[in-house]
Amino acid sequence: MDLPFDLETFLPYRLNRAAERISLRFAARYRESFQMTRPEWRTLAALGSCGQMTATEIGAHSAMHKTKVSRAVRALEQRRWLKRIEDTKDRRVENLELTPLGRQHYRELVAMAQDYEQTLQTLLGKDALTQLENGLTAIETSMTPS
Amino acid sequence: MDLPFDLETFLPYRLNRAAERISLRFAARYRESFQMTRPEWRTLAALGSCGQMTATEIGAHSAMHKTKVSRAVRALEQRRWLKRIEDTKDRRVENLELTPLGRQHYRELVAMAQDYEQTLQTLLGKDALTQLENGLTAIETSMTPS
DNA sequence: CCATAACTGTCACTTTTGTAACTATCAAGG
DNA sequence: CCTTGATAGTTACAAAAGTGACAGTTATGG
């Protein structure tokens, strides 16, 4: 029995490769302007766009391990970019929120993100981008945080 | 000026999240059967499907950092799953090739991969999968190894 | 030729990450 | 109440990753 397996059609491999290329290129930008790691940017982005969230929610939203989130939260807190707000109903939970300073930097990073989005759109073409997004949506709806 | 930025449409973020979910779920499978890391699997897969390659080529193909590849190669070599073949024209280069033992394990892993492909296909739907693949192809052709 | 620059792969060093255990808290059921 | 089990977040430790420098080799251009 022979193997009709082609790595070029294997989704996990391709997806990782694409994500790595796209994400590292963007990370290189904010890294030198803000000395920020990827987990930190993702945490900031989640809070900036969703408002108040808990660490667990951030982890589910961004598919980051909880210790990664924990460390990113601490780093952002030390920069005074976010603050912890204790939950009145459940004292295990910490509600996280950007400070005005954090929101300000968030806006700057959003500008960079939008610029990069432009780059990607001209690079990939609008049609391919749409198809990609449809596929990602399917993943997001069917692969609930395992 | 307000911000019409939506994280839910930002490609690097979404791509990473999807890749992480899809790839970790598969990694969990071969990890417990083979005690294999993701770089090791990717290296094995690249060699298994492309035949002889150099470390640099593997890195470009899989978007892995060269030290990651170097370590994965060493690990696979210690298992006797691959062998190094010196290049006659350029002595800096090491041509890498799977051993029969390596190919045997490659086949087992391919079977797992195909099984997972099935899972994904039923989970995501054939249509979404096709769109996703078209999008990935666009990335692959336009984002040459930076 | 020779000097310089570029390239391949590895290593020491440092940083980042995951694992598993832990504290503190809450929830359910007797 | 009290016990058991689950959950949120942190941490110590170990594993993995990136950085920068390196040795060895090849390419380029005087």
Side-chain angles (χ1 to χ4, degrees), chain B residues 13-24:
Chain B
Y13 188 86
R14 294 182 80 191
L15 214 44
N16 252 302
R17 179 168 63 181
E20 203 64 14
R21 293 213 174 112
I22 294 228
S23 149
L24 273 180

Side-chain angles (χ1 to χ4, degrees), chain B:
Chain B
M1 186 196 97
D2 224 332
L3 302 162
F5 177 74
D6 183 10
L7 193 54
E8 289 308 317
T9 70
F10 187 55
L11 199 59
Y13 188 86
R14 294 182 80 191
L15 214 44
N16 252 302
R17 179 168 63 181
E20 203 64 14
R21 293 213 174 112
I22 294 228
S23 149
L24 273 180
R25 198 173 291 194
F26 180 53
R29 298 192 182 187
Y30 58 72
R31 187 173 188 250
E32 78 177 311
S33 317
F34 292 91
Q35 257 97 44
M36 237 184 153
T37 65
R38 284 194 278 178
E40 280 160 36
W41 148 250
R42 287 179 198 138
T43 300
L44 182 78
L47 285 173
S49 89
C50 298
Q52 218 179 60
M53 301 173 87
T54 70
T56 301
E57 285 165 356
I58 293 173
H61 191 273
S62 59
M64 287 197 292
H65 194 274
K66 63 178 181 173
T67 58
K68 244 184 200 170
V69 177
S70 176
R71 284 154 183 154
V73 165
R74 186 176 46 191
L76 293 176
E77 188 188 27
Q78 281 167 352
R79 294 183 179 210
R80 317 282 175 205
W81 288 14
L82 70 74
K83 59 173 179 284
R84 302 177 198 245
I85 298 166
E86 60 184 30
D87 193 298
T88 51
K89 315 250 179 191
D90 185 343
R91 281 188 300 170
R92 291 171 300 184
V93 170
E94 289 178 337
N95 293 104
L96 306 168
E97 200 179 67
L98 294 187
T99 61
L101 181 63
R103 276 195 292 278
Q104 177 186 317
H105 289 289
Y106 171 69
R107 278 192 290 272
E108 295 175 47
L109 275 155
V110 160
M112 293 184 70
Q114 285 170 329
D115 184 69
Y116 189 54
E117 265 182 332
Q118 274 307 113
T119 307
L120 287 176
Q121 191 161 94
T122 59
L123 204 63
L124 302 182
K126 197 146 186 163
D127 182 53
L129 211 52
T130 305
Q131 294 201 55
L132 192 53
E133 283 168 359
N134 290 340
L136 289 175
T137 303
I139 293 179
E140 285 155 11
T141 56
S142 59
M143 311 258 303
T144 30
S146 72

Side-chain angles (χ1 to χ4, degrees), chain A residues 20 31 54-56 66-67 70-71 74 84 92-94:
Chain A
E20 202 64 13
R31 187 171 188 250
T54 69
T56 302
K66 64 179 180 173
T67 59
S70 175
R71 285 155 183 152
R74 185 175 49 191
R84 303 175 198 244
R92 291 170 302 182
V93 170
E94 290 179 336

